């Protein structure tokens, strides 16, 4: 790649970590350690393109060119008793988001619209600490109705589970369960006070035990240090999830993190590449906040920098780019949409 | 009818200071009723949104709901 001569000198240490990542991750499929991820996160902008292209090579080598496309829907919005400081759906903050429930016909319609884009994943989300009987019944009815009408993989994200609930969801045909660790263990108490990182970890263990795929990621840009961002990547690698959704903080009005600055584009891209190098085989999904942090070019930059899954259309409470824009981009990049058969 | 209230922050539309609201509106459904400033019940769906004011009824995203 072209560097502007004299602008930045790349030190031996910087080229070393990239050379090492090439040998260790690209050739051998062995993810970077926490300390190595930290070195990557500290790389200067002058080697960002080189880093992104390595992350892209790693993704192509260990995951292939397919992109997994997902739509998400909020079944129960707002009024959550937890206090995750980034979240507009907590009932404890003065956020403009009001509580709402979606009915089953609307849920089925949302699944149909998602499938129409070519997406193979449909994730049903509820803003709760964990599901109660009413929510479990609503989810069961919703999944049955969706499965009646169309073929799509169904994932859920309903908070912390009991062993019985994990079993019940698996029996309903939920193929993947999302539960984010959100941030590094050492930073978690700065982000959430109503439950612990360990409680989240326990739910992830139950999800795997029940036979569902594990989807676990978090949000970067919540005031964590680079060392903590690397720590988080290391903790995710230790968990070994099937999918890692990576969000960038989108500061929500009325929340404790409402006044934080969104991450810079280069920092966000460095995080994407670093997470790919820590997790060479995971489905790495661009989740929320990419529009704010990276603008219109974000999808392209991410998909050429380690990302191999996207959320199309809107998010839970905010709006995304038009789904067609992302689907067209995949065509342009010659990245086929992952087919349903591949994932069943 | 011109909106009396900002659908993002719920303050008077004429009051000024809505620069951030204008930016936010690009990626955010309306949160406050433009006629009475009540907080609305908003449902975002993959391709659209609905927002309901208990007094003034429901509005939909231009592209439809789902
Ligand atoms: S548990 Fe989920 S919905 Fe509730 S406040 Fe935390 S992130 Fe938001
Ligand atoms: Zn306003
Ligand atoms: Zn009204």
């Amino acid at each position: 790649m072209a560097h502007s001569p004299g602008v930045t000198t790349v030190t031996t240490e910087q080229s070393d970590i990239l050379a090492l990542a090439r040998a260790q991750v690209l050739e051998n499929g062995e993810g970077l350690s926490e300390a190595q991820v930290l070195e990557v996160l500290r790389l200067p902008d002058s080697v960002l393109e080189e880093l992104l292209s390595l992350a892209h090579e790693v993704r192509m080598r260990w995951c292939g060119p397919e992109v997994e496309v997902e739509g998400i829907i909020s079944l129960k919005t707002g009024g959550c008793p937890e206090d995750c400081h980034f979240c507009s759906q907590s009932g404890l903050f003065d956020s403009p988001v009001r509580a709402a429930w979606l009915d089953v016909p609307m849920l089925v319609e949302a699944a149909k619209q998602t499938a129409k884009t070519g997406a193979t994943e449909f994730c049903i989300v509820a803003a709760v600490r964990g599901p109660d009987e009413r929510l479990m019944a609503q989810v069961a009815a919703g999944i049955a109705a969706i499965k009646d009408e169309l073929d799509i993989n169904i994932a859920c994200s309903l908070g912390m589970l009991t062993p019985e609930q994990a079993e019940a969801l698996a029996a309903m045909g939920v193929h993947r369960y999302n539960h984010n660790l959100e941030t590094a263990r050492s930073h978690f108490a700065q982000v959430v006070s109503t439950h612990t990182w360990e409680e989240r970890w326990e739910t992830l263990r139950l999800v795997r035990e029940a036979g569902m795929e594990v989807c676990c990621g978090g949000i970067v840009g919540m005031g964590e240090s680079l060392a903590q961002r690397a720590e988080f990547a290391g903790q995710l690698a230790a968990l070994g999830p099937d999918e890692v959704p990576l969000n960038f903080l989108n500061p929500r009005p009325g929340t404790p993190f409402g006044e934080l600055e969104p991450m810079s584009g280069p920092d966000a891209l460095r995080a994407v590449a670093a997470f790919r190098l820590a997790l060479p085989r995971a489905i790495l999904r661009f989740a929320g906040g990419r529009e704010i942090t990276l603008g219109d070019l974000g999808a392209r930059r991410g998909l050429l920098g380690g990302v191999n899954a996207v959320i199309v259309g809107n998010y839970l409470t905010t709006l995304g780019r038009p789904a067609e824009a992302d689907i067209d981009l995949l065509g342009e990049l010659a990245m086929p949409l992952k087919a349903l058969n591949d994932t069943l | 009818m011109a909106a009396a209230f900002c659908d993002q922050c719920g303050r008077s539309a004429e009051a000024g200071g809505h620069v951030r609201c204008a930016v936010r509106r690009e990626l955010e459904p309306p949160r406050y009723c433009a006629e009475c400033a009540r907080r609305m019940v908003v449902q975002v769906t993959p391709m659209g949104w609905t927002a309901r004011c208990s007094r003034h009824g429901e509005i939909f995203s231009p592209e439809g709901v789902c």
Side-chain angles (χ1 to χ4, degrees), chain A residues 27-28 70 83 85 122 153 159 167 175 187 213 238 262 292 342:
Chain A
E27 304 305 333
N28 296 333
E70 176 185 69
D83 76 344
H85 292 11
F122 183 64
N153 287 325
E167 294 292 339
H175 92 120
H187 190 55
E213 289 186 8
I292 302 275
D342 296 353

Side-chain angles (χ1 to χ4, degrees), chain A:
Chain A
M1 59 162 284
H3 291 293
S4 331
V7 174
T8 324
T9 327
V10 177
T11 64
T12 334
E13 199 179 294
Q14 286 158 11
S15 52
D16 276 0
I17 182 65
L18 288 174
L20 188 146
R22 184 166 286 280
Q24 178 180 324
V25 191
L26 182 61
E27 304 305 333
N28 296 333
E30 205 184 295
L32 293 187
S33 69
E34 179 182 330
Q36 292 168 331
V37 170
L38 181 56
E39 279 188 61
V40 169
L41 291 173
R42 286 186 173 145
L43 287 172
D45 288 355
S46 58
V47 287
L48 182 58
E49 295 308 322
E50 201 180 325
L51 169 65
L52 291 170
S53 80
L54 174 61
H56 181 56
E57 279 185 77
V58 167
R59 167 268 173 117
M60 294 300 261
R61 166 82 197 269
W62 297 102
C63 304
E66 293 83 16
V67 173
E68 194 185 82
V69 177
E70 176 185 69
I72 59 176
I73 187 78
S74 179
L75 178 61
K76 186 247 164 190
T77 305
C80 180
E82 303 304 291
D83 76 344
C84 309
H85 292 11
F86 53 83
C87 183
S88 65
Q89 302 201 62
S90 168
L92 303 176
F93 312 139
D94 192 18
S95 146
V97 174
R98 280 189 64 185
W101 278 84
L102 191 68
D103 60 20
V104 169
M106 279 277 279
L107 184 70
V108 174
E109 189 51 34
K112 281 187 189 164
Q113 294 296 329
T114 297
K116 250 192 221 166
T117 66
T120 51
E121 298 282 318
F122 183 64
C123 186
I124 302 170
V125 185
V128 290
R129 177 182 168 87
D132 57 12
E133 268 180 38
R134 176 188 174 197
L135 180 59
M136 287 296 282
Q138 180 87 341
V139 168
I143 290 176
I146 293 168
K147 285 190 179 285
D148 245 15
E149 298 214 26
L150 66 152
D151 245 355
I152 195 160
N153 287 325
I154 296 175
C156 282
S157 181
L158 313 171
M160 290 180 277
L161 300 177
T162 63
E164 295 72 30
Q165 287 170 333
E167 294 292 339
L169 289 168
M172 287 174 207
V174 174
H175 92 120
R176 188 180 293 165
Y177 192 83
N178 164 265
H179 196 54
N180 290 339
L181 287 168
E182 306 300 10
T183 191
R185 188 175 179 173
S186 69
H187 190 55
F188 194 82
Q190 315 310 311
V191 179
V192 185
S193 78
T194 46
H195 58 269
T196 63
W197 196 89
E198 288 73 17
E199 285 177 275
R200 287 188 169 247
W201 185 277
E202 173 59 12
T203 286
L204 292 160
R205 194 185 64 74
L206 294 173
V207 166
R208 183 169 282 151
E209 222 171 68
M212 291 181 281
E213 289 186 8
V214 173
C215 170
C216 177
I219 306 177
V220 288
M222 296 196 292
E224 75 279 10
S225 65
L226 287 187
Q228 286 171 318
R229 206 168 285 165
E231 177 196 332
F232 183 39
Q235 286 158 345
L236 287 174
L239 174 72
D242 299 279
E243 174 189 334
V244 175
L246 195 55
N247 299 268
F248 310 101
L249 180 73
N250 176 359
R252 310 308 305 147
T255 64
F257 289 170
E259 298 303 321
L260 289 184
E261 280 298 314
M263 263 172 112
S264 78
D267 279 350
L269 292 169
R270 248 185 304 274
V272 166
F275 276 62
R276 168 55 71 205
L277 296 179
L279 296 141
R281 291 177 184 78
I283 299 164
L284 184 60
R285 190 178 307 279
F286 241 158
R290 72 174 142 120
E291 292 82 0
I292 302 275
T293 312
L294 293 161
D296 272 348
L297 281 179
R300 176 189 300 272
R301 304 273 282 153
L303 285 163
L304 292 171
V307 162
N308 68 332
V310 291
I311 289 176
V312 283
N314 295 330
Y315 300 102
L316 301 172
T317 63
T318 60
L319 311 179
R321 303 201 319 157
E324 312 82 59
D326 281 345
I327 301 297
D328 290 351
L329 175 63
L330 295 182
E332 193 189 310
L333 297 175
M335 294 181 185
L337 273 71
K338 193 163 164 184
L340 199 55
N341 307 347
D342 296 353
T343 52
L344 284 176

Side-chain angles (χ1 to χ4, degrees), chain B residues 6 8-11 17-18 21:
Chain B
C6 171
Q8 293 297 314
C9 70
R11 290 181 300 116
H18 299 290
C21 302

